[in-house]
Amino acid sequence: MTDFTKTRAQFHIPEGVVYMDGNSLGPLPIAAGERVAKMLSAEWGEQLIRGWNSAGWYVQPRRVGDRIGRLIGAPEGTVVMGDTLSIKVYQALASALELRPDRKVVLSDSGNFPSDLYMAQGLLGSLAQGHVLKVVEPEEVEDAIDETVAAVMLTEVDYRSGRLHDMGRLTKKAREVGALMIWDLAHSAGALPVDLTAVGADFAIGCTYKYLNGGPGAPAFIYVAPQHTEIARPALSGWMGHEAPFAFDLDYRPGRGIERMRCGTPPVIALTALEAALDVWDGVSIEDVRKASVDLGDLFIREVEARCPELTLASPRDGSRRGSQVSFRHEQGYAIMQALIARGVIGDFRAPDIVRFGLTPLYLGRDDVLKAVDILAGIMADRLWDRPEYMRKAAVT
Amino acid sequence: MTDFTKTRAQFHIPEGVVYMDGNSLGPLPIAAGERVAKMLSAEWGEQLIRGWNSAGWYVQPRRVGDRIGRLIGAPEGTVVMGDTLSIKVYQALASALELRPDRKVVLSDSGNFPSDLYMAQGLLGSLAQGHVLKVVEPEEVEDAIDETVAAVMLTEVDYRSGRLHDMGRLTKKAREVGALMIWDLAHSAGALPVDLTAVGADFAIGCTYKYLNGGPGAPAFIYVAPQHTEIARPALSGWMGHEAPFAFDLDYRPGRGIERMRCGTPPVIALTALEAALDVWDGVSIEDVRKASVDLGDLFIREVEARCPELTLASPRDGSRRGSQVSFRHEQGYAIMQALIARGVIGDFRAPDIVRFGLTPLYLGRDDVLKAVDILAGIMADRLWDRPEYMRKAAVT
C-alpha cells in the first residue's frame, strides 16, 4: 500500500498553497535541487567533457527512458528521452507514415492537444504528398478508423475535460484495419496505469513536467513498439541516433532499436532534475495513485456541486472515464481562477470557460481538496471574481 | 580592453587541469550553480505554474536569444532559443527549401558536422520530392554554388581542423545565384566575431555548450534574417510558435517574426544555466577574445612543432583562417589524448587520427598552454601513449 504521507514529504509545496495544477506543471521534488547542484559541481564542474562517459550522461536518455517505461507498460529498451513532446509527435507520426506509404489519412480528434495537431499540419505540409489530417469529435473517432487511415494519433486524456479515451478498444480497431496507433500520454504517464504492450500501441510519446514532476520544459519521451524499432526511419535523424555517432561518417545509418529515436545532444541538466523526480516513485504503486486520484476527484465533484451550483461539471462523472483532473465550466472561469490563485488555490484556466483542477495524491490530500472547495465556495457566494484585478489579460499559463 | 583574469575567475577549472576542450563542452561558470539553485527553489518551488509569467519563463527563449544575437551580429528579435542544434538545422533547411520551391539541390561540404548532414538526409528522405544533398570538399564549395542550388548549408569552422570558411564571400556567391545561405555557428558563437547582418546570411543556427558555456546539452539557437521571418514556414510547428498559443485553436497559424521558430515548451532549467553563463560576457569584447585566442593558438603551434615533431599540424597555420582550436594528426592520436587526459590536459580526439585542443582565453592563459606542451612533449619523448590503458575503447566524447 502506497504511503502518501511519505510521497508528500518529498515535494515542496509553498506555505498556504493548495496545488491543483500538477496536470500542467508538477511541483518541485525536494531532491531535485540537491541532485542538480551535485550534477553541476561534481559532474560538469569536475569531470568536464569526461562526464559523457564517467558520469553516464551519454546513456542517461535510455536509463531514464527505462524508468518511465515501467510506468507505462513498455519493456526495457523501448523508450528514450529527448527533445520536447511536440518534436516527438513529429518523429512518431513521420515514422508511422513511412510504414504505411499507401495510405494518406492521419486521424485525430478535437480533444487532442493542439500542439500535436500543429505538428501534424507542419509535417503534412512539408511532405506535400497528399496526406490529409482528419480531425473528428472524440466520440466519432472509433467509427472514423478505417482502411484509409495510415495513423491514428490521439491523446488518452482530454486536456480540457479529463475525458479518457479507451486505449485498448481504439488501438484494437486501428490494428484491425491496418492503421498504426500513436498515443500521446502527456496526461497519463504518472497519473494512471498504462500498458502499452497489452493494448498493442505502435508509438507513444509524452512529456515529463506534469505528473512526472520533471520541471518546466522537462524532456519528452518516445516509445516505439518492438516490432517497429528496427524498421522505423527517424525523420529527425541526428547524430545521437546514428549507429556509430563518434565515427563521424558523412552518411546516416540508424542506430539499433530505440537508439535511433535520439536526435541531438541530450539535455543533461534537465534529465538530472527528472531523475530526482522519478525517485519519488520508488515504492509507489500506480494503481494506488489512480485509486486515490479518483477518490479525490469524486470528493471534489461532490463538494463543488453541493456548494457551487453555478459551476457546471465539464469532466466525466464516472471516475473510471476521467483522468487525474476535474474541470468545471463557468463563463467567468478566467476571473474565478484568478480569484482562487490569489487565495492560494492554484488550478488553471483553459479557453473559453474551463477551470481545471489536478488531483494528484502524491502531494494532495482530502484536507486540501476540502479547503479548496471552501475557498471556491466563498468566491462564488460573494462574487469575489467580479473585481477588476481578476479580469482577463494576456495569460500564458 | 578585456580583463581575462576577471573572466577566468568566473569559471570552475578543477585543480591541476588544463582545459583545452571548450570547443566541445565549456567549463562550469561558477554563477550557474547558484542561479539554477535559485530558479529551482524560488521560481519553480515557490511560483509553480505561475513562473511562466511571474518569473519570465515564457519570454526567456527570446530574452536569451537577443543576448546571443549581440555576439553574432543579429538584430533584436531575430534569434530564439530552443531544442537542439540538430533540430534547428532541420527547421532552417526545411524553411529554406520552401522558399526556393523550384530548386532541388542542397549544397554542403565534407567539413560540415555530420549531424547537420544526417538531419538534411532525414528531411530530404521525408520530402521525397527529388531533392539532392550534394556534399563537396570544403575548397570546392564556392565553385559548386550555382543556380540549381536551393540552399547552401555550411559550418563556418571545421570541427576537425578548425579551418574557417569565408562567410562573407560564400554568402555573397549564394545571394548572387539566388540560393539561400544557412550558417552553422556551433564553433563560432563566442569564439570569434560573426556579423550575420553584414554577411547577409539567411538562416543561422548554433549550440551553446561550447564557447558559450551553457552546460551539457544546453539549448540551441536559430536566427532568421528579417526579410524571411514573416514568410518562413516552420516545418516544426509547435504550439509555442503559434500566433496565439493559449487560444488552443485547432489550426496552426505561425507566430509573428522569430516567435514562429519556437516549437514545444522551452527548457527553463537549462536556459537558466545558460543565462548565468552569458553573464561572463558582460564587459568582454569578442574582438579581444578572438585576438587572444589566435595568439594562444600561434604559441601552441610553435611550441608543439618545436618539441613534438612527430605531430603534424592539421589546422591552418594562419590564425586568421583558423577557429578557436588547433588540431594535430598522429596515428596514435587516440592513445596520445588518453595519456594527456590522464595527466590533466584535457583535449579530445576525432577519428581517425586528430587530437584537438581548444584555445579559449576566457579561462585559458599562456602558462596553461606552455604547461600542456610540456606534458605533451614528455608523453611523446617517452612514448607514454604506448600503454594498454590508453588503448582505444568505445568512446563517446
Side-chain angles (χ1 to χ4, degrees), chain A residues 140-158:
Chain A
E140 297 167 356
V141 168
E142 188 171 356
D143 284 344
I145 301 176
D146 62 28
E147 281 77 5
T148 67
V149 175
V152 185
M153 185 183 84
L154 297 170
T155 299
E156 186 190 14
V157 182
D158 188 303

Side-chain angles (χ1 to χ4, degrees), chain A residues 334 338 349-350 392-397, chain B residues 53 58 245-248:
Chain A
Y334 180 84
Q338 295 304 305
F349 171 78
R350 284 293 175 258
R392 198 157 180 178
K393 322 179 250 275
V396 298
T397 53
Chain B
N53 289 309
Y58 185 73
F246 294 89
F248 300 103

Side-chain angles (χ1 to χ4, degrees), chain B residues 158 160-163 301 305 312-318 321-329 354-357 359:
Chain B
D158 188 304
R160 301 159 307 180
S161 67
R163 184 261 317 132
I301 292 172
E305 291 192 327
T312 307
L313 183 65
S315 295
R317 192 172 299 280
D318 174 359
R321 297 183 47 223
R322 192 174 70 217
S324 193
Q325 68 176 71
V326 167
S327 303
F328 287 91
R329 292 185 189 279
I354 285 181
V355 285
R356 287 198 308 185
F357 301 90
L359 295 144

